[in-house]
Amino acid sequence: MITRRRFVACSLAASLAFIAAPSFAQEDFPNRPVTIVAPFPAGSVTDAVTRTLAQALQQSLGQPIVVENRAGAQGTIGAAHVANARPDGYTLLMGSSVMFVAKSLIKTLPYDPVKSFAPVSGIGSTAMMFLVQQSSPLQSVADLTSASKKGSRPVSMAYGSPSGQVAVALFSTITDSAPTAVSYRGIPQAITDLVGGQVDVAVVDIGNGLAQVKSGKARALAISAASRYAGAPDIPTLQEFFPDASGSLETIIAVMAPTGTPAGSIARLDTAIRAALTTDRVKEQFGTLNTTVLPLSTAQLAERIAADNPRWESLMKKAGIEAQ
């Protein structure tokens, strides 16, 4: 026969065990493989960045890190998979700035691009580069600005990605000019027409831009980053020409988890990720991929997303980007 005192004691012990269970699970994290979803195809920069980080994380976390490619719909297929995954820290997303404002690109999403995810760590950033033909009379951003405002014909600016389109809108905003934006299905096509003389300027990612500069086929006038790129320190930023304006635009690459993931698991991941970013191998690989290492803690990443999203959405509106 169980006495009342014994019954209360057993109930209390059971309650304490129930309360302690999540804490124990967080302390034990991770105890099995972790999957990072790359929402773009194998061979893409996002895929390469994810695999570089995964290799470093395996050592610091002591568990296999699996990279799973779920490409399509500008990254939203992979994002939807992670948003609906069990929030236990074992399924993560390699996200980027454009994905955080996906509502401005896609009318019907099966998730909220901000509320469905918990920030874990910022890992890197990249930016866009403004290219001209090697023989172009435009020698600087000042020349480009003047031509965009006073030229006998509008300056044509080609782009082949959403980030490029937004960068064109940024240039238009900070210079109070109206270049003619020319859309291409991809960056390679935009570069081809630049080199062929069909357009005046091509706005491309830094990796593609540097390849053209090094080959001697094009010249770089500026990049859209907040500071000069270490791999090409002689190329100025737009911000340098317009110090009183908000002239920077960077694509942040970050690790995200499903909302509801235990804080202890996120903290463990954040610590391990930022430690991985300090290793020489990761720094070297990111440099090869023309991606700047940008270690942001969970709190810093949340602040960055909250600050960046309104700017991206405003510029997308100015660029005439409508949700499809």
Side-chain angles (χ1 to χ4, degrees):
M1 184 173 179
I2 300 176
T3 65
R4 177 178 176 80
R5 179 178 294 178
R6 185 179 177 187
F7 174 79
V8 171
C10 290
S11 298
L12 178 60
S15 299
L16 290 174
F18 176 78
I19 294 170
S23 175
F24 175 78
Q26 291 177 28
E27 292 175 0
D28 192 42
F29 176 87
N31 55 26
R32 55 187 172 86
V34 174
T35 296
I36 304 179
V37 173
F40 296 100
S44 64
V45 172
T46 299
D47 172 72
V49 165
T50 305
R51 292 181 187 278
T52 297
L53 179 66
Q55 290 178 0
L57 274 182
Q58 285 190 166
Q59 297 181 354
S60 57
L61 289 177
Q63 292 291 338
I65 307 297
V66 179
V67 176
E68 182 179 339
N69 295 94
R70 286 181 175 264
Q74 300 185 53
T76 58
I77 289 178
H81 173 75
V82 176
N84 293 308
R86 184 176 179 181
D88 54 11
Y90 289 95
T91 304
L92 307 171
L93 172 70
M94 189 62 76
S96 63
S97 296
V98 173
M99 293 170 60
F100 303 150
V101 290
K103 279 187 176 180
S104 297
L105 297 172
I106 300 175
K107 289 181 179 179
T108 305
L109 285 174
Y111 62 92
D112 186 289
V114 175
K115 295 180 181 179
S116 295
F117 301 99
V120 178
S121 294
I123 66 165
S125 71
T126 187
M128 306 306 289
M129 180 178 287
F130 289 72
L131 289 180
V132 295
Q133 270 188 310
Q134 189 64 251
S135 59
S136 172
L138 302 174
Q139 298 295 319
S140 66
V141 170
D143 289 345
L144 178 58
T145 301
S146 178
S148 297
K149 289 183 175 182
K150 302 175 182 179
S152 57
R153 64 174 178 80
V155 171
S156 55
M157 286 192 178
Y159 62 87
S161 69
S163 294
Q165 187 175 5
V166 174
V168 172
L170 171 68
F171 177 84
S172 176
T173 298
I174 63 176
T175 61
D176 191 27
S177 63
T180 299
V182 185
S183 175
Y184 287 82
R185 295 186 63 181
I187 288 174
Q189 294 92 329
I191 290 175
T192 296
D193 273 11
L194 171 74
V195 174
Q198 279 74 46
V199 293
D200 300 311
V201 181
V203 184
V204 306
D205 63 276
I206 286 180
N208 273 296
L210 283 180
Q212 297 304 310
V213 171
K214 290 177 180 178
S215 70
K217 294 179 180 179
R219 285 187 290 106
L221 297 184
I223 60 173
S224 66
S227 57
R228 295 197 181 199
Y229 175 56
D234 56 323
I235 301 175
T237 68
L238 287 177
Q239 188 70 54
E240 292 176 42
F241 292 93
F242 305 97
D244 296 330
S246 183
S248 64
L249 184 76
E250 295 178 316
T251 295
I252 304 301
I253 304 170
V255 176
M256 311 292 283
T259 291
T261 299
S265 298
I266 288 178
R268 176 78 175 95
L269 288 166
D270 178 33
T271 299
I273 289 170
R274 285 189 287 130
L277 295 177
T278 66
T279 63
D280 291 338
R281 176 175 173 77
V282 169
K283 290 178 180 178
E284 180 182 345
Q285 287 294 103
F286 273 41
T288 301
L289 296 168
N290 296 296
T291 299
T292 300
V293 175
L294 183 67
L296 297 175
S297 67
T298 300
Q300 290 171 329
L301 176 58
E303 291 174 359
R304 183 65 182 263
I305 292 173
D308 280 2
N309 278 10
R311 286 193 67 228
W312 275 84
E313 290 170 349
S314 174
L315 288 168
M316 291 171 87
K317 184 177 180 180
K318 181 175 180 60
I321 298 176
E322 296 183 358
Q324 301 297 315

